[in-house]
């Protein structure tokens, strides 16, 4: 079926001579969704957070409800926890329980948070028993119906005090005290700071022997590095084996703290946790607390708005029906992974994924098991960026829409130029779309060229052997309004040198496209994406690709998007760097930044391409953790340096305990048409870290 264009603009069809972006030559890695393997009901197990609720309006219900939280872990009733420099308590479990309830969530009571210090400052058993009695009686008096359970202690492997005896005896004493007062509410533990086989086996052996087994088993998946994410599956399997070995009935698993600090809120990192918790049957999981309370674990900005991470959780909340099995690109390294759901009644499939970079193919199979699908599937792809904790993202970016023919119960959807820190969302419905902007080459008008099939191609088909002077592939696109469009061409050039094609719009001026090599042909899965721009008339337009003067090229599809007003964002870690270092940091845009710009010859040099000569506005994302102003020297295109002054931000981007302090400085700069270099050099006063620049 011919694909139609989403909100295309119009005017004269004139090719623009903008730079062509080079292609990616790697064979796209495959991420697979099996709709026929519907393995559990959608319950949004990983959508909760630790201290995610601070009180009424912190955050607003409009931010909580769309994420469909299942459970929040919160401070004990009348607790005094003041972590990370807080000046007010961080959310009493019973006080926020009504907020959680009206948003469909349960609450865990973290009992040791009744202490004001962390690590907890033990006083005596008499004191602890008094605190336990106070907490349980408050819970009973509250009448709350959405209490998930009592977490008897938190991270006992390092917070339990030897003055209180062994933790195992402490668990038994506390368990029996709680159950004497409240037999109905479940107990949760042991809540070790990490999964350790010997700890868990010893704990369960003791608990079974003393008849004090927790109703819900818990531990934390915080990891020492992001690579530890991939141990979650092994940890759950090992735990289930202990249950079998000891003859313990299966317990619900609550991973009531998860996430490496540098990934907190970052869509491409968090979705890998979602995927493992869902596939391995975890009952609840709450994102860890590394930053500020009342912000759903870092997906709400300091101004109380959604950031890029919130949209990932919102897409998770959009899921309904049954979870569909996913197969990650790798289970031994950090790569693309995600989750999927299928609602048979609605005929809607959601796929949420991230953590990959470059080009990938999303394979969705098993459509035969979903009654509403036959013939074609309409696919919409959205993306959410990670621009830092306190950068609002008002809506995700619309990447493409298209109709895919279902062949043998399967569609193959290429996703190109992925960013590892971003999140992505496919919405798939049976109906043909009216807002498409993706055009398959096999649906175009083809002359002296041939149709081929391959799983690596979009829709499984592409056009090759465009080898003769009169060979061409002509797309008909429909523009709703006048304007300039970004044109992406997915292609293969299996020669050992650049190849050419001629491009004309509505029979007008011919331009030459140059395709870098892709290391092979589409028949072997080698593809690239070339980007340029065109100007389109209102209504119907033709875009023709003709055999060029040198080499050969195969065509898979073209994609058109209205070209926005000029804005170019360049991450500091992708700039030219001298005598400085790149660091990971969840508070930074794309989770990386440049620090250590501390020497006379330290610099960070950005390159931006301005559409014309003139004056531009430039935002600089920075941190100045000193107590006064700091400076850099700023030089544009090698010209005379000016002084940039950075006000103190109260800390560094990764200030302990990973509480970020990035701010934005807005400058006016004069640029030439085309490429410009913008260099920041260590100044005469203080120090500053750089996150990104954005020129507009």
């Amino acid at each position: 079926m011919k694909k139609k264009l989403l909100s295309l603009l119009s005017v004269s069809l004139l090719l623009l001579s903008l730079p062509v972006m080079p292609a990616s030559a790697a064979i796209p890695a495959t991420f697979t969704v099996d709709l026929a393997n519907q393995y559990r009901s959608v319950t949004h197990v990983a959508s909760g957070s630790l201290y995610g609720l601070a009180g009424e309006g912190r955050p607003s219900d409009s931010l909580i409800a769309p994420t469909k939280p299942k459970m929040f872990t919160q401070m004990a009733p009348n607790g005094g926890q003041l972590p990370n420099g807080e000046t007010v308590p961080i959310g009493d479990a019973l006080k926020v329980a009504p907020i959680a309830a009206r948003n469909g969530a349960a609450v865990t009571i973290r009992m040791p948070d009744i202490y004001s210090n962390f690590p907890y400052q033990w006083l005596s058993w008499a004191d602890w028993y008094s605190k336990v009695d106070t907490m349980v009686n408050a819970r009973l008096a509250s009448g709350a119906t959405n209490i998930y359970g009592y977490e008897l202690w938190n991270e006992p492997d390092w917070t339990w005090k030897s003055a209180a005896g062994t933790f195992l005896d402490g668990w038994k004493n506390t368990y029996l005290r709680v159950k004497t007062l409240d037999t109905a509410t479940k107990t949760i533990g042991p809540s070790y700071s990490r999964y350790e086989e010997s700890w868990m086996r010893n704990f369960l052996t003791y608990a079974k022997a003393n008849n004090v087994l927790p109703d819900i088993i818990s531990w934390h998946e915080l990891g020492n590095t992001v690579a530890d994410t991939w141990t979650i599956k092994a940890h759950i399997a090992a735990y289930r084996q202990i249950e079998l070995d000891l003859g313990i009935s299966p317990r619900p698993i609550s991973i009531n703290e998860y996430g490496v600090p540098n990934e907190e809120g970052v869509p491409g990192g968090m979705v890998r946790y979602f995927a493992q918790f869902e596939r391995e049957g975890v009952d609840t999981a709450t994102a860890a607390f590394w930053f500020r309370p009342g912000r759903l674990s870092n997906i709400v900005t300091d101004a109380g708005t959604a950031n890029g991470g919130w949209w990932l959780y919102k897409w998770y909340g959009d899921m309904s029906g049954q979870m569909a099995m996913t197969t990650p690109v790798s289970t031994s390294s950090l790569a693309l992974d995600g989750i999927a759901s299928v609602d048979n009644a609605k005929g809607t499939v959601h796929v949420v994924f991230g953590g990959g970079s470059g080009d990938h193919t999303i394979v969705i199979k098993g459509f035969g098991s979903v009654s509403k699908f036959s013939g074609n599937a309409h696919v919409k792809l959205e993306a959410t960026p990670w621009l830092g904790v306190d950068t609002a993202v008002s809506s995700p970016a619309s990447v493409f829409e298209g109709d895919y023919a279902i062949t043998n119960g399967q569609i193959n959807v290429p996703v190109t130029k992925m960013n590892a820190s971003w999140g992505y969302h496919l919405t798939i419905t049976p109906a043909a779309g009216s807002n498409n902007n993706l055009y398959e080459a096999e649906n175009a008008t083809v002359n002296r060229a041939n149709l081929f099939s391959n799983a690596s191609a979009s829709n499984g088909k592409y056009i090759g052997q465009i080898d003769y002077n009169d060979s061409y592939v002509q797309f008909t696109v429909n523009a709703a309004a006048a304007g300039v469009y970004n044109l992406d061409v997915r292609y293969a050039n299996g020669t050992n040198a650049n190849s050419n094609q001629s491009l004309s719009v509505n029979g007008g001026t011919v331009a030459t496209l140059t395709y870098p090599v892709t290391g092979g042909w589409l028949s072997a899965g080698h593809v690239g994406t070339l980007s340029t721009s065109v100007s389109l008339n209102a209504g119907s337009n033709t875009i023709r690709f003709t055999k060029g003067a040198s080499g050969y090229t195969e065509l898979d599809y073209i994609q058109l998007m209205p070209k926005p007003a000029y804005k170019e964002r360049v991450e500091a870690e992708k700039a030219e760097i001298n005598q400085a270092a790149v660091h990971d940091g969840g508070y930074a845009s794309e989770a990386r930044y440049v620090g250590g710009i501390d020497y006379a010859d330290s610099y960070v040099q950005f390159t931006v391409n301005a559409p014309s000569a003139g004056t531009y506005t430039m935002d600089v994302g920075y941190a100045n953790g000193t107590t006064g102003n700091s400076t850099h020297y700023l030089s544009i295109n090698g010209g005379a340096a000016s002084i940039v002054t950075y006000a103190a931000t109260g800390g560094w981007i990764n200030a302990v305990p990973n509480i970020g302090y990035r701010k934005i400085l807005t400058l006016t700069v004069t640029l030439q048409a085309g490429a410009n270099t913008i260099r920041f050099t260590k100044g005469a006063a203080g120090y500053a870290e750089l996150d990104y620049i954005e020129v507009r």
Side-chain angles (χ1 to χ4, degrees):
M1 180 177 292
K2 184 66 70 177
K3 297 184 179 172
K4 300 175 184 176
L5 188 60
L6 168 66
S7 301
L8 290 181
L9 304 177
S10 57
V11 133
S12 64
L13 274 130
L14 177 66
L15 280 168
L16 299 181
S17 56
L18 291 181
V20 170
M21 306 240 349
S24 167
I27 297 175
T30 298
F31 170 72
T32 302
V33 177
D34 185 359
L35 303 179
N37 187 352
Q38 298 173 22
Y39 62 94
R40 69 187 300 192
S41 296
V42 171
T43 60
H44 313 107
V45 301
S47 56
S49 51
L50 172 62
Y51 309 146
L53 306 178
E56 286 293 345
R58 297 181 56 207
S60 67
D61 282 16
S62 64
L63 290 170
I64 302 169
T67 68
K68 301 293 197 304
K70 186 175 183 183
M71 187 271 285
F72 291 101
T73 298
Q74 296 286 151
M75 179 182 68
N78 298 312
Q81 265 296 297
L82 298 171
N84 293 0
E86 292 299 317
T87 57
V88 295
I90 56 178
D92 179 321
L94 295 182
K95 291 177 182 176
V96 302
I99 303 171
R102 66 176 181 252
N103 287 286
V107 173
T108 286
I109 296 172
R110 176 163 282 182
M111 299 186 80
D113 278 0
I114 198 166
Y115 293 109
S116 58
N117 297 310
F118 188 82
Y120 308 115
Q121 299 300 305
W122 177 266
L123 297 177
S124 67
W125 274 106
D127 173 74
W128 177 239
Y129 282 149
S130 175
K131 286 179 166 61
V132 169
D133 293 352
T134 297
M135 288 184 281
V136 175
N137 287 329
R139 180 268 177 279
L140 294 172
S142 73
T145 59
N146 63 326
I147 301 302
Y148 186 66
Y150 298 107
E151 185 183 18
L152 303 192
W153 200 263
N154 173 43
E155 298 187 344
D157 45 293
W158 74 283
T159 67
W160 184 259
K161 303 300 183 182
S162 59
T166 69
F167 168 66
L168 295 180
D169 286 341
W171 169 268
K172 181 179 71 171
N173 294 341
T174 305
Y175 179 99
L176 294 175
R177 188 83 177 192
V178 168
K179 287 295 187 181
T180 298
L181 298 171
D182 183 357
T183 59
T185 305
K186 294 180 179 179
T187 54
I188 304 169
S191 297
Y192 290 129
S193 66
R194 67 182 189 272
Y195 185 87
E196 185 71 39
E197 178 76 7
S198 61
W199 295 350
M200 190 64 73
R201 187 174 290 272
N202 289 341
F203 170 79
L204 289 173
T205 300
Y206 176 94
K208 182 183 180 185
N210 288 274
N211 199 29
V212 291
L213 284 167
D215 301 300
I216 299 168
I217 202 76
S218 66
W219 68 86
H220 300 166
E221 289 288 355
L222 302 176
N224 295 315
T225 67
V226 290
D228 290 342
T229 304
W230 291 115
T231 64
I232 293 172
K233 178 179 180 179
H235 291 167
I236 293 172
Y239 167 73
R240 292 300 187 201
Q241 186 60 50
I242 295 175
E243 286 182 332
L244 288 172
D245 292 346
L246 299 181
I248 296 171
S249 60
R251 312 270 134 168
I253 296 175
S254 181
I255 307 297
N256 51 16
E257 290 189 33
Y258 74 86
V260 176
N262 287 341
E263 290 187 320
E264 188 76 15
V266 180
M270 301 307 279
V271 74
R272 285 191 290 254
Y273 292 95
F274 294 1
Q276 291 203 79
F277 296 149
E278 290 286 359
R279 288 193 297 256
E280 304 311 316
V282 169
D283 186 58
T284 60
T286 54
F289 175 77
W290 297 112
F291 294 86
R292 299 261 82 97
R295 291 171 62 174
L296 303 180
S297 287
N298 225 38
I299 61 174
V300 175
T301 71
D302 54 354
T305 58
N307 64 25
W310 183 88
W311 290 98
L312 180 84
Y313 280 76
K314 190 267 184 188
W315 292 335
Y316 192 12
D318 288 341
M319 290 183 164
S320 59
Q322 298 291 311
M323 298 300 295
M325 186 57 67
T326 56
T327 302
V329 166
S330 172
T331 56
S332 60
S333 62
L334 292 178
L336 178 64
D337 200 358
I339 53 178
S341 69
V342 54
D343 191 316
N344 292 279
K346 295 179 181 178
T348 302
V349 172
H350 291 283
V351 186
V352 178
F353 56 99
S357 59
D359 295 349
H360 291 272
T361 299
I362 312 301
V363 175
I364 302 103
K365 63 182 183 179
F367 277 99
S369 65
V370 187
S371 60
K372 293 185 181 292
F373 284 91
S374 63
N376 291 288
H378 180 66
V379 177
K380 178 180 179 180
L381 175 65
E382 300 171 284
T384 183
W386 179 252
L387 305 179
V389 175
D390 289 329
T391 301
V393 176
S394 60
S395 64
S398 178
V399 181
F400 67 72
E401 285 195 54
D403 293 332
Y404 282 76
I406 299 171
T407 303
N408 297 321
Q410 177 175 313
I411 63 173
N412 300 334
V413 181
V415 180
T416 61
K417 296 182 283 190
M418 288 182 64
N419 187 308
S421 69
W422 290 28
Y424 298 84
H425 177 216
L426 287 172
T427 304
I428 306 172
T429 54
S434 59
N435 295 318
N436 296 353
N437 65 346
L438 188 71
Y439 294 79
E440 297 287 351
E442 65 269 17
N443 293 330
T445 300
V446 178
N447 189 69
R448 286 207 81 186
N450 291 302
L451 173 67
F452 296 92
S453 298
N454 187 268
S456 295
S458 175
N459 221 21
K461 298 179 177 65
Y462 64 97
I463 300 297
Q465 296 179 346
I466 313 167
D467 296 347
Y468 307 99
N469 290 336
D470 59 345
S471 295
Y472 64 80
V473 179
Q474 180 170 296
F475 298 85
T476 299
V477 302
N478 189 42
V484 178
Y485 286 82
N486 291 325
L487 171 66
D488 283 354
V489 184
R490 195 171 194 254
Y491 75 95
N493 169 13
T495 72
N496 57 10
N498 289 346
S499 62
N500 302 124
Q501 284 183 339
S502 297
L503 176 63
S504 65
V505 180
N506 288 343
T509 304
V510 174
T512 299
L513 296 182
T514 300
Y515 298 97
V517 299
T518 54
W521 299 103
L522 256 166
S523 59
H526 294 270
V527 290
T529 304
L530 177 144
S531 299
T532 187
S533 295
V534 292
S535 184
L536 299 177
N537 290 329
S540 180
N541 301 272
T542 59
I543 301 177
R544 177 179 287 196
F545 296 79
T546 305
K547 170 72 175 70
S550 62
Y552 305 94
T553 305
E554 299 170 333
L555 296 179
D556 188 9
Y557 66 73
I558 64 170
Q559 181 183 337
L560 289 158
M561 288 291 287
K563 188 176 181 66
Y566 173 73
K567 182 172 68 174
E568 186 170 359
R569 185 185 184 96
V570 184
E571 299 292 332
E573 65 272 14
K574 297 174 183 176
E576 180 184 338
I577 300 168
N578 189 69
Q579 284 283 79
V582 175
H583 300 280
D584 294 329
Y587 207 88
S589 177
E590 295 194 8
R592 305 183 83 194
Y593 66 97
V594 175
I597 312 169
D598 298 346
Y599 309 100
D601 57 347
S602 294
Y603 66 79
V604 181
Q605 180 169 294
F606 301 84
T607 299
V608 299
N609 287 283
S612 60
T615 300
Y616 292 81
T617 297
M618 180 172 72
D619 288 343
V620 182
Y622 79 96
N624 169 14
T626 73
T627 57
N629 290 344
S630 294
T631 62
H632 279 162
Y633 296 116
L634 173 62
S635 176
I636 298 176
N637 295 325
S642 60
I643 296 175
V644 176
T645 301
Y646 303 103
T649 55
W652 300 104
I653 290 179
N654 261 9
V656 175
N658 207 39
I659 305 170
Y661 291 91
R662 189 198 69 191
K663 300 295 182 184
I664 297 172
L665 175 67
T666 300
L667 305 172
T668 299
V669 295
T670 300
L671 303 178
Q672 63 191 17
N676 294 264
T677 58
I678 300 175
R679 177 179 288 197
F680 294 81
T681 305
K682 171 71 175 71
Y687 306 94
E689 300 169 331
L690 292 178
D691 188 8
Y692 68 91
I693 65 169
E694 184 172 280
V695 178
R696 59 188 186 275

